[in-house]
């Protein structure tokens, strides 16, 4: 029987609406859903391949359990959960709760289950050893926003549909489709920007697709955006281009002005490799534009001064009067509880055992997980709950982590593949198929460019006895909390609903004061306890119906009745709603920024230029993303691999000539951490002195089951990246501007 289903694509942050044609339980065709209120039919090759990912023969359909002979065998769900209970209890009884680390991966923003259960799982586990994809990705943005606005998830995004000037630094949204910025059909929106006379300016060491469609492209030296942005701030002050700021709303302006004093365009020019005149022009154009937005992403986060860089991005947005105004950068609206206030960010409430790295937003840096596993003593990590992550390929010095994970006493993975990381697990719990999973953007809605809400229920039912990913994670939480493998996941949801309602009713100025929580709870709809939790979130969000207090507002039933989504409108100014700093002002020179500025200023005084002093001509490694990849986990699908999706080292012709490297030749790339062999792609897309490798490669390892990916395994960029270097304020890994040497490979 054929029919059609709608599903929001979970493969990147653009969250396009897909139309899926089904024959029985298989997807026969996937295309963009033209009626989707947000994406309006836009789709990319990954979305079209959703059915192939769903049907991948290597995708796990049953739990796997490590056998006495070391092999992994398919077992029932009951056996698998019982094994988790036994294994976890043993480690906790012998070594305490900190001996179990919890690690969440990138799908935390692409699933319903991870955002719903990550927090309760952490609470129930009660371990300080929490790690996650944030510190190998966007944590510098969370920290800079937390310091400036109080809430680490108050992330302003470019109001692209109304801006007249977009400055993109270290991001390639034409290929990545946007990140920390949910913006479907970015190519179309950029075309519209330019059609109405707006400008796109890109700063990147690589001439990316985004750079190619820009009005102005400024090649940059990796790792030096912080200098560039400081010099732009300097220029705004020096030329009187900064807007007047109200002292009641902004703190630290004088300190900021003083700090920017040393960073003249002339002082930073050599470091950045950008002429002083170009730097001044970047600042002047930004100030002169009627509206403008500065946006920076992965390339600006995963460098040694990632937090400072992201902070300066929003400083520029503030100083040009573009924070929280149409056409500038604006705060999206979450689909979740807005009625209980967020606590302002406090950093370093505790420190990691081995390297003494500060906790950030409740986590330790992934860059120190191997230390915590390898170093004996009280609090040593002996077990890991690995949920939706493949850090063997994604973490800095992944090869070291690969060895560390092999030495654990116990490991549980929640993952759809037996891959480079999960091959170390004792128990693997697979989430249901993509078509058996619904979608709701809990995290991404906060960074969406319009006020939209959409819900896709699962296209196919679960098999009898098969748990949803929500139920899997709820079970893990209950086991970690000592309630046992037999406990009912729905009971956990009911408890969370009760707790949330109590907190909402008790909040100062609650619109529900005096109401009976049971009465509110009885109003929740949904097919199961998970949907009832979603209904609760939606009703309590700024777009929600507040249990009838806002009759036009949204609830789950409304979204179910509108499968194409509901568009409430463009973003609206709401800084006053999101700002939760202790001072009640936007902090323009928050405390820990000052000490890092001094560190930066000292380097500038010493005349340090990244890469220049390294051996063999000082090449700096950066990453790149391919249109048909989602990190590495899509490489097992033929439609998404091969062709242009290749693991090669891009190197500029000038460097290739100097190093006697010809196109297509195998080369060895070495760093402090390790070495790999790859093929050279000689191209002037990368600036001289820069080489580029994609990540998520390095397949074909013993024990993994990614049969298609193993045919073209590539090599892991993270065999080269260094776990010992992190952004000091956020603990985030440094994936860009990694010093490497490249030589022709010896045959
Ligand atoms: N050198 C270098 N390193 C990088 C980067 C880089 O650009 N360069 N990028 C960094 C970034 S931005 C990120 S986000 C990280 C990625 O790091 P990870 O968090 O490891 O993310 P993925 O590689 O996307 O892996 C996702 C994992 O979840 C599984 N999975 C997919 N869907 C689901 C699901 O619905 N449920 C469950 N339970 N599992 C699922 C996949 O099989 C895979 O094992 O890598 C980082 N590492
Ligand atoms: N097709 C595809 N889409 C994806 C993904 C994917 O793997 N494939 N991954 C998803 C994930 S997990 C994320 S986090 C997002 C990331 O989204 P983006 O940040 O937009 O993607 P990247 O390609 O990592 O872009 C980083 C850019 O920074 C540049 N760069 C490197 N170092 C520096 C530097 O020091 N300064 C400057 N100015 N630029 C620098 C790189 O050349 C690159 O163009 O993409 C998401 N979308
Ligand atoms: S752009 Fe992103 S969300 Fe849209 S179809 Fe492609 S992978 Fe899916
Ligand atoms: Mo990411």
């Amino acid at each position: 029987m054929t029919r059609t289903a709608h599903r929001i694509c979970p493969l990147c942050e653009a969250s396009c609406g897909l139309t899926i044609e089904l024959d029985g339980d298989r997807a026969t065709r996937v295309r963009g859903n033209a009626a989707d209120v947000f994406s309006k039919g836009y789709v990319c090759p990954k979305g079209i391949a959703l059915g192939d990912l769903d049907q991948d023969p290597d995708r796990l359909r049953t739990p796997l359990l490590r056998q006495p002979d070391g092999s992994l065998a398919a077992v029932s769900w009951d056996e698998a959960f019982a094994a988790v209970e036994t294994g976890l209890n043993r480690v906790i009884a012998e070594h305490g709760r900190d001996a179990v680390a919890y690690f969440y991966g990138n799908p935390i923003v692409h699933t319903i289950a991870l955002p719903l259960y990550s927090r309760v799982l952490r609470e129930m586990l009660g371990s300080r050893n929490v790690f996650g994809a944030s510190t190998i990705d966007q944590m510098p943005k969370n920290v800079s926003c937390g310091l400036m606005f109080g809430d680490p998830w108050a992330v302003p995004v470019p109001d692209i549909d109304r801006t007249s000037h977009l400055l993109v630094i270290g991001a390639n949204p034409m290929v990545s489709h946007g990140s920390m910025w949910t913006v479907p059909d970015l190519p179309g929106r950029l075309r519209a920007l330019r059609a109405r006379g707006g400008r796109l300016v890109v700063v990147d060491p690589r001439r990316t697709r985004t750079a190619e469609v820009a009005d102005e492209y400024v090649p940059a030296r990796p790792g030096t955006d912080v200098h560039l942005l400081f010099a732009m701030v300097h220029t705004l002050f020096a030329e009187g281009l900064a807007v007047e700021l109200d002292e009641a709303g902004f703190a630290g302006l004088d300190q900021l002005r003083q700090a920017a004093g040393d960073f003249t365009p002339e002082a930073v020019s050599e470091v950045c490799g950008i002429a002083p005149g170009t730097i001044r022009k970047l600042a002047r154009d930004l100030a002169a534009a009627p509206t403008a937005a500065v946006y920076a992403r992965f390339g600006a986060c995963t460098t040694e001064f990632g937090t400072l860089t992201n902070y300066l991005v929003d400083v520029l947005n503030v100083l040009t009067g573009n924070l929280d105004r149409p056409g500038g950068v604006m705060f999206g609206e979450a689909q979740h509880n807005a009625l209980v206030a967020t606590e302002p960010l406090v950093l370093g409430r505790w420190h990691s055992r081995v390297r003494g790295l500060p906790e950030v937003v409740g986590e330790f840096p992934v860059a120190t997980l191997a230390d915590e596993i390898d170093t004996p003593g009280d609090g040593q990590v002996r077990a890991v709950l690995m949920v939706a992550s493949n850090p063997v390929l994604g973490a800095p010095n992944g090869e070291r982590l690969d060895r560390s994970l092999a030495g654990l006493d116990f490991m549980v993975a929640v993952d759809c593949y037996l891959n480079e990381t999960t091959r170390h697990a004792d128990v693997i719990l697979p989430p249901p198929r993509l078509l058996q999973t619904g979608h709701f953007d809990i995290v991404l809605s906060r960074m969406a460019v319009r006020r939209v809400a959409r819900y896709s229920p699962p296209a196919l039912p679960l098999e009898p006895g098969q748990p949803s990913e929500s139920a899997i994670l709820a079970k893990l939480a209950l086991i970690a909390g000592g309630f046992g493998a037999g406990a009912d996941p729905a009971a956990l949801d009911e408890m969370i609903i009760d707790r949330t309602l109590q907190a909402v009713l008790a909040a100062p100025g609650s619109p529900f004061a005096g109401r009976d929580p049971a009465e509110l709870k009885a109003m929740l709809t949904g097919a199961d306890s998970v949907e009832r939790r979603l209904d609760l979130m939606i009703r309590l969000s700024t777009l929600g119906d507040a249990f009838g207090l806002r009759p036009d507002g949204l609830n789950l039933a409304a979204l179910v009745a509108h499968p194409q989504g509901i568009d409430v409108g463009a973003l609206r100014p709401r800084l006053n709603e999101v700002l939760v700093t202790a001072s009640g002002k936007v902090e323009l020179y928050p405390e820990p920024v000052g000490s890092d500025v001094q560190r930066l200023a000292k380097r500038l005084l010493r005349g340090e230029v990244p890469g220049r002093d390294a051996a063999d001509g000082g090449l700096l490694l950066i990453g790149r993303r391919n249109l048909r990849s989602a990190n590495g986990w899509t490489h097992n699908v033929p439609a998404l691999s091969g062709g242009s999706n290749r693991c090669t080292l891009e190197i500029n012709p000038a460097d290739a000539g100097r190093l006697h490297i010809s196109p297509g030749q195998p080369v060895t790339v070495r760093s402090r951490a390790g070495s790999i062999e790859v093929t050279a792609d000689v191209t002037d897309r990368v600036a001289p002195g820069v080489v580029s490798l994609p990540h998520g490669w390095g397949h074909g390892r013993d024990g993994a089951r990614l049969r298609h990916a193993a045919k073209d395994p590539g090599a892991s960029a993270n065999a080269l990246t260094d776990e010992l270097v992190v952004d000091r304020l956020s603990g985030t890994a440094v994936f860009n501007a990694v010093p490497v040497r490249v030589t022709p490979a010896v045959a």
Side-chain angles (χ1 to χ4, degrees), residues 13 106 133 136-138 179 297-298 625 631:
E13 293 172 50
N106 169 268
I136 49 176
D137 190 349
Q138 87 296 338
S179 178
R297 196 46 201 95
F298 192 77
R625 286 180 151 75
N631 298 323

Side-chain angles (χ1 to χ4, degrees), residues 78 81-86 88-89 97 124 471-472 474-489:
D78 285 346
F81 284 124
V84 172
E85 183 175 12
T86 309
L88 271 191
N89 283 350
R97 294 194 162 262
M124 294 272 207
I472 295 171
K475 278 272 195 197
L476 288 183
L478 289 163
I479 292 170
F483 295 91
D488 177 15

Side-chain angles (χ1 to χ4, degrees), residues 127-152:
S127 166
R128 281 196 170 174
N129 281 308
V130 175
F131 299 84
S134 295
T135 59
I136 49 176
D137 190 349
Q138 87 296 338
M139 190 62 100
K141 186 74 188 173
N142 294 128
V143 171
S144 73
C145 288
L147 294 173
M148 294 179 80
F149 312 121
D151 177 353

Side-chain angles (χ1 to χ4, degrees), residues 12-13 46 106 137 169-173 175-179 203-206 208 220-225 295 297-299 303 622-631 695 736:
C12 90
E13 293 172 50
K46 287 201 294 289
N106 169 268
D137 190 349
I169 296 165
N172 185 13
V175 169
S176 70
H177 292 109
S179 178
V203 178
D204 199 300
R206 183 168 177 268
T208 60
R221 193 193 309 275
T224 65
D225 300 306
Y295 169 75
R297 196 46 201 95
F298 192 77
T303 58
I622 62 167
R624 72 175 184 269
R625 286 180 151 75
N626 187 290
L627 192 58
R628 287 182 299 136
S629 290
N631 298 323
H695 72 289
N736 286 304

Side-chain angles (χ1 to χ4, degrees), residues 209-223:
R209 284 214 203 174
T210 310
E212 273 165 3
V213 303
D215 299 274
E216 188 178 345
Y217 165 53
V218 180
R221 193 193 309 275

Side-chain angles (χ1 to χ4, degrees), residues 421-487:
T421 294
T422 62
R423 71 196 176 113
H424 296 299
D426 298 286
V427 189
I428 307 180
L429 308 169
R433 291 167 52 187
L434 284 159
L435 297 181
Q436 292 172 314
T437 309
H439 194 97
F440 181 73
D441 279 323
I442 296 174
V443 181
L444 299 181
S445 60
R446 266 200 103 153
M447 294 168 291
V449 289
R450 288 187 68 85
R451 292 184 285 154
V452 286
R454 295 170 301 167
Y455 173 61
S456 349
L460 294 174
L462 297 169
E463 315 296 330
Q466 181 192 15
S468 67
E469 182 152 29
S470 293
I472 295 171
L473 297 183
K475 278 272 195 197
L476 288 183
L478 289 163
I479 292 170
F483 295 91

